[in-house]
Amino acid sequence: IAGITQAPTSQILAAGRRMTLRCTQDMRHNAMYWYRQDLGLGLRLIHYSNTAGTTGKGEVPDGYSVSRANTDDFPLTLASAVPSQTSVYFCASSDAGGQDTQYFGPGTRLTVL
Amino acid sequence: AQRVTQPEKLLSVFKGAPVELKCNYSYSGSPELFWYVQYSRQRLQLLLRHISRESIKGFTADLNKGETSFHLKKPFAQEEDSAMYYCALLKSGAGKSTFGDGTTLTVKP
Protein backbone atom coordinates (compact mmCIF):
# COMPACT_ATOMS: atom_id res chain seq x y z
CA ILE A 1 0.00 0.00 0.00
CA ALA A 2 1.59 3.27 -1.12
CA GLY A 3 -0.69 5.62 0.83
CA ILE A 4 -0.41 8.99 -0.82
CA THR A 5 2.14 9.80 -3.49
CA GLN A 6 3.18 12.94 -5.31
CA ALA A 7 5.06 13.59 -8.53
CA PRO A 8 7.45 15.00 -9.39
CA THR A 9 9.67 15.12 -6.31
CA SER A 10 11.12 18.39 -7.45
CA GLN A 11 10.96 20.63 -10.49
CA ILE A 12 12.58 23.76 -11.80
CA LEU A 13 10.27 25.70 -14.04
CA ALA A 14 10.56 28.81 -16.17
CA ALA A 15 8.12 31.60 -15.38
CA GLY A 16 5.10 31.55 -17.64
CA ARG A 17 5.13 27.79 -18.13
CA ARG A 18 2.25 25.52 -17.27
CA MET A 19 2.82 22.82 -14.68
CA THR A 20 0.71 20.07 -13.15
CA LEU A 21 1.61 18.52 -9.84
CA ARG A 22 0.22 15.05 -9.41
CA CYS A 23 -1.24 13.50 -6.29
CA THR A 24 -2.63 9.99 -5.93
CA GLN A 25 -3.93 8.13 -2.90
CA ASP A 26 -4.98 4.51 -2.56
CA MET A 27 -6.74 4.78 0.79
CA ARG A 28 -10.14 5.55 -0.73
CA HIS A 29 -10.30 8.78 1.26
CA ASN A 30 -13.06 11.14 0.27
CA ALA A 31 -11.29 14.38 1.07
CA MET A 32 -8.08 15.68 -0.50
CA TYR A 33 -6.11 18.88 -0.06
CA TRP A 34 -3.26 20.89 -1.54
CA TYR A 35 -1.04 23.02 0.70
CA ARG A 36 2.02 25.11 0.12
CA GLN A 37 4.70 25.33 2.78
CA ASP A 38 6.77 28.49 2.93
CA LEU A 39 9.34 29.49 5.51
CA GLY A 40 7.75 31.63 8.18
CA LEU A 41 4.25 31.17 6.77
CA GLY A 42 3.60 27.58 7.74
CA LEU A 43 1.12 25.52 5.77
CA ARG A 44 -1.47 27.32 3.70
CA LEU A 45 -4.40 25.61 2.04
CA ILE A 46 -4.63 26.18 -1.71
CA HIS A 47 -7.59 24.07 -2.76
CA TYR A 48 -9.48 21.15 -1.35
CA SER A 49 -12.03 18.54 -2.37
CA ASN A 50 -14.45 16.94 0.06
CA THR A 51 -15.46 14.25 -2.42
CA ALA A 52 -14.95 13.26 -6.05
CA GLY A 53 -16.54 15.76 -8.39
CA THR A 54 -16.36 18.71 -5.98
CA THR A 55 -13.62 21.22 -5.21
CA GLY A 56 -13.29 24.31 -3.07
CA LYS A 57 -10.95 27.25 -2.65
CA GLY A 58 -8.65 27.46 0.29
CA GLU A 59 -6.69 30.34 1.74
CA VAL A 60 -4.42 31.03 -1.27
CA PRO A 61 -6.14 29.75 -4.44
CA ASP A 62 -5.08 32.43 -6.95
CA GLY A 63 -2.94 31.11 -9.79
CA TYR A 64 -3.86 27.50 -9.11
CA SER A 65 -6.59 25.16 -10.28
CA VAL A 66 -7.58 21.62 -9.33
CA SER A 67 -9.84 18.87 -10.54
CA ARG A 68 -11.23 15.76 -8.90
CA ALA A 69 -12.43 13.41 -11.58
CA ASN A 70 -12.17 10.37 -9.31
CA THR A 71 -11.50 9.45 -5.69
CA ASP A 72 -7.82 8.67 -6.10
CA ASP A 73 -6.38 11.61 -8.02
CA PHE A 74 -6.21 15.31 -7.23
CA PRO A 75 -3.89 17.17 -9.62
CA LEU A 76 -2.87 20.78 -9.02
CA THR A 77 -2.22 22.96 -12.07
CA LEU A 78 -0.30 26.20 -12.33
CA ALA A 79 -1.53 27.70 -15.59
CA SER A 80 1.27 30.26 -15.89
CA ALA A 81 3.87 29.91 -13.17
CA VAL A 82 5.33 32.93 -11.40
CA PRO A 83 8.36 33.14 -9.08
CA SER A 84 6.14 33.68 -6.03
CA GLN A 85 4.85 30.15 -6.54
CA THR A 86 8.25 28.79 -5.61
CA SER A 87 7.42 26.60 -2.64
CA VAL A 88 7.09 23.08 -1.32
CA TYR A 89 3.69 21.67 -2.17
CA PHE A 90 2.02 19.00 -0.06
CA CYS A 91 -0.98 16.93 -0.96
CA ALA A 92 -3.04 15.36 1.81
CA SER A 93 -6.11 13.19 2.18
CA SER A 94 -8.48 12.32 4.97
CA ASP A 95 -11.41 10.04 5.60
CA ALA A 96 -14.84 10.62 7.06
CA GLY A 97 -15.62 13.53 4.78
CA GLY A 98 -12.62 15.41 6.00
CA GLN A 99 -13.46 15.01 9.67
CA ASP A 100 -10.44 12.94 10.40
CA THR A 101 -6.68 12.88 10.50
CA GLN A 102 -4.93 14.11 7.38
CA TYR A 103 -2.33 11.93 5.69
CA PHE A 104 0.33 13.81 3.78
CA GLY A 105 2.32 13.07 0.68
CA PRO A 106 6.10 13.48 0.55
CA GLY A 107 5.89 16.89 -1.09
CA THR A 108 7.00 18.48 -4.36
CA ARG A 109 9.67 21.15 -4.28
CA LEU A 110 8.93 23.63 -7.06
CA THR A 111 11.25 26.42 -8.12
CA VAL A 112 9.98 29.01 -10.60
CA LEU A 113 12.69 31.10 -12.21
CA ALA B 1 -12.87 33.14 11.14
CA GLN B 2 -10.86 30.43 12.79
CA ARG B 3 -7.23 31.07 13.49
CA VAL B 4 -4.34 29.11 14.96
CA THR B 5 -1.36 30.86 16.53
CA GLN B 6 1.96 29.30 17.38
CA PRO B 7 3.86 32.17 18.95
CA GLU B 8 7.30 30.57 18.81
CA LYS B 9 8.85 29.96 15.40
CA LEU B 10 11.97 28.50 16.97
CA LEU B 11 12.38 26.68 20.28
CA SER B 12 15.59 25.21 21.58
CA VAL B 13 15.99 23.06 24.69
CA PHE B 14 18.60 20.70 26.07
CA LYS B 15 18.11 16.95 26.14
CA GLY B 16 16.24 15.89 29.25
CA ALA B 17 14.65 19.28 29.78
CA PRO B 18 10.89 19.78 29.68
CA VAL B 19 9.46 21.24 26.52
CA GLU B 20 6.21 23.03 25.78
CA LEU B 21 5.13 24.12 22.32
CA LYS B 22 2.38 26.67 22.51
CA CYS B 23 -0.76 26.73 20.42
CA ASN B 24 -3.66 29.12 20.77
CA TYR B 25 -6.76 29.13 18.65
CA SER B 26 -9.75 31.29 17.96
CA TYR B 27 -12.97 29.58 16.99
CA SER B 28 -16.47 30.08 18.24
CA GLY B 29 -17.60 26.47 17.92
CA SER B 30 -16.32 23.17 19.28
CA PRO B 31 -12.91 22.62 17.75
CA GLU B 32 -11.03 19.49 16.95
CA LEU B 33 -7.34 20.08 17.44
CA PHE B 34 -4.33 18.20 16.17
CA TRP B 35 -0.58 18.29 16.41
CA TYR B 36 1.34 17.25 13.30
CA VAL B 37 5.10 16.71 13.16
CA GLN B 38 7.57 16.84 10.31
CA TYR B 39 10.94 15.25 10.96
CA SER B 40 13.86 16.14 8.74
CA ARG B 41 13.40 14.79 5.21
CA GLN B 42 10.09 13.15 6.10
CA ARG B 43 6.49 13.96 5.37
CA LEU B 44 4.12 15.54 7.84
CA GLN B 45 2.40 13.04 10.05
CA LEU B 46 -0.10 13.12 12.84
CA LEU B 47 1.41 13.25 16.32
CA LEU B 48 -1.78 13.38 18.35
CA ARG B 49 -5.31 14.72 18.40
CA HIS B 50 -7.18 15.99 21.39
CA ILE B 51 -10.14 13.64 21.18
CA SER B 52 -7.81 10.65 21.55
CA ARG B 53 -6.45 11.91 24.85
CA GLU B 54 -3.39 9.73 24.41
CA SER B 55 0.33 10.18 24.82
CA ILE B 56 2.45 9.67 21.72
CA LYS B 57 6.25 9.49 21.99
CA GLY B 58 5.90 10.97 25.47
CA PHE B 59 4.01 14.02 24.21
CA THR B 60 0.66 15.10 25.58
CA ALA B 61 -1.64 17.98 24.80
CA ASP B 62 -4.69 19.13 26.71
CA LEU B 63 -7.41 21.23 25.21
CA ASN B 64 -8.12 24.21 27.45
CA LYS B 65 -11.29 25.82 26.17
CA GLY B 66 -11.13 28.60 28.73
CA GLU B 67 -7.72 29.72 27.52
CA THR B 68 -8.37 28.50 23.94
CA SER B 69 -5.08 26.66 24.01
CA PHE B 70 -3.75 23.27 23.00
CA HIS B 71 -0.15 23.30 24.13
CA LEU B 72 2.07 20.31 23.40
CA LYS B 73 4.20 19.12 26.29
CA LYS B 74 6.87 16.56 27.01
CA PRO B 75 8.58 16.24 30.39
CA PHE B 76 11.97 15.08 29.10
CA ALA B 77 12.94 16.10 25.57
CA GLN B 78 15.02 13.77 23.42
CA GLU B 79 17.28 14.64 20.49
CA GLU B 80 15.02 12.70 18.13
CA ASP B 81 12.20 15.10 19.00
CA SER B 82 13.91 17.77 16.91
CA ALA B 83 11.42 18.57 14.17
CA MET B 84 8.87 21.06 12.89
CA TYR B 85 5.58 20.93 14.79
CA TYR B 86 2.28 22.23 13.47
CA CYS B 87 -0.88 22.80 15.45
CA ALA B 88 -4.08 22.46 13.42
CA LEU B 89 -7.74 23.19 14.03
CA LEU B 90 -10.50 21.30 12.25
CA LYS B 91 -13.76 23.17 12.09
CA SER B 92 -16.57 20.74 12.72
CA GLY B 93 -18.42 19.99 9.49
CA ALA B 94 -16.17 22.10 7.28
CA GLY B 95 -13.87 19.32 6.18
CA LYS B 96 -10.72 21.42 6.16
CA SER B 97 -8.14 22.40 8.72
CA THR B 98 -6.38 25.61 9.60
CA PHE B 99 -2.71 25.22 10.43
CA GLY B 100 -0.49 27.39 12.56
CA ASP B 101 2.79 28.70 11.20
CA GLY B 102 4.74 25.92 12.88
CA THR B 103 7.42 25.74 15.56
CA THR B 104 10.85 24.32 14.86
CA LEU B 105 12.05 22.44 17.92
CA THR B 106 15.74 21.75 18.37
CA VAL B 107 16.84 19.49 21.20
CA LYS B 108 20.50 19.95 21.94
CA PRO B 109 22.67 17.18 23.41
Side-chain angles (χ1 to χ4, degrees):
Chain A
I1 297 176
I4 182 163
T5 59
Q6 292 182 236
T9 302
S10 65
Q11 182 75 44
I12 299 174
L13 189 67
R17 298 297 296 268
R18 181 185 179 89
M19 176 74 190
T20 295
L21 308 185
R22 299 185 298 278
C23 175
T24 300
Q25 52 104 358
D26 62 4
M27 298 176 283
R28 307 302 295 172
H29 285 168
N30 286 325
M32 296 187 74
Y33 314 85
W34 274 105
Y35 295 91
R36 56 178 291 172
Q37 183 185 42
D38 302 291
L39 192 64
L41 296 175
L43 278 173
R44 292 182 291 169
L45 182 66
I46 304 170
H47 285 287
Y48 66 97
S49 168
N50 285 334
T51 188
T54 68
T55 62
K57 293 182 180 180
E59 183 183 355
V60 289
D62 294 343
Y64 305 94
S65 63
V66 292
S67 61
R68 188 88 185 278
N70 57 61
T71 298
D72 298 346
D73 302 299
F74 190 44
L76 175 74
T77 297
L78 290 67
S80 179
V82 295
S84 62
Q85 292 177 311
T86 294
S87 186
V88 180
Y89 291 86
F90 287 99
C91 181
S93 70
S94 67
D95 205 354
Q99 297 303 113
D100 205 346
T101 302
Q102 293 190 29
Y103 294 86
F104 286 83
T108 293
R109 183 174 295 276
L110 181 67
T111 302
V112 182
L113 302 176
Chain B
Q2 65 216 60
R3 184 176 177 85
V4 176
T5 303
Q6 293 178 248
E8 303 135 331
K9 291 195 183 302
L10 302 172
L11 183 62
S12 181
V13 300
F14 285 101
K15 177 183 173 181
V19 62
E20 180 180 69
L21 290 85
K22 291 183 169 54
C23 173
N24 290 90
Y25 67 91
S26 61
Y27 176 53
S28 56
S30 293
E32 282 198 54
L33 286 144
F34 302 75
W35 276 99
Y36 288 87
V37 61
Q38 185 178 26
Y39 300 104
S40 179
R41 302 182 188 280
Q42 295 187 28
R43 65 184 71 189
L44 272 85
Q45 58 187 285
L46 177 71
L47 181 62
L48 53 81
R49 56 189 300 187
H50 88 271
I51 61 172
S52 300
R53 301 189 65 81
E54 57 189 345
S55 174
I56 303 294
K57 298 184 178 182
F59 284 98
T60 58
D62 292 319
L63 178 61
N64 186 323
K65 291 187 177 181
E67 295 182 359
T68 60
S69 68
F70 188 56
H71 303 329
L72 183 68
K73 301 177 184 179
K74 184 169 183 176
F76 307 103
Q78 302 300 312
E79 290 181 67
E80 56 264 31
D81 296 328
S82 296
M84 171 77 89
Y85 292 80
Y86 286 98
C87 182
L89 182 154
L90 176 63
K91 181 179 175 181
S92 179
K96 51 189 172 89
S97 298
T98 298
F99 284 78
D101 290 346
T103 297
T104 300
L105 173 66
T106 302
V107 180
K108 297 181 284 189

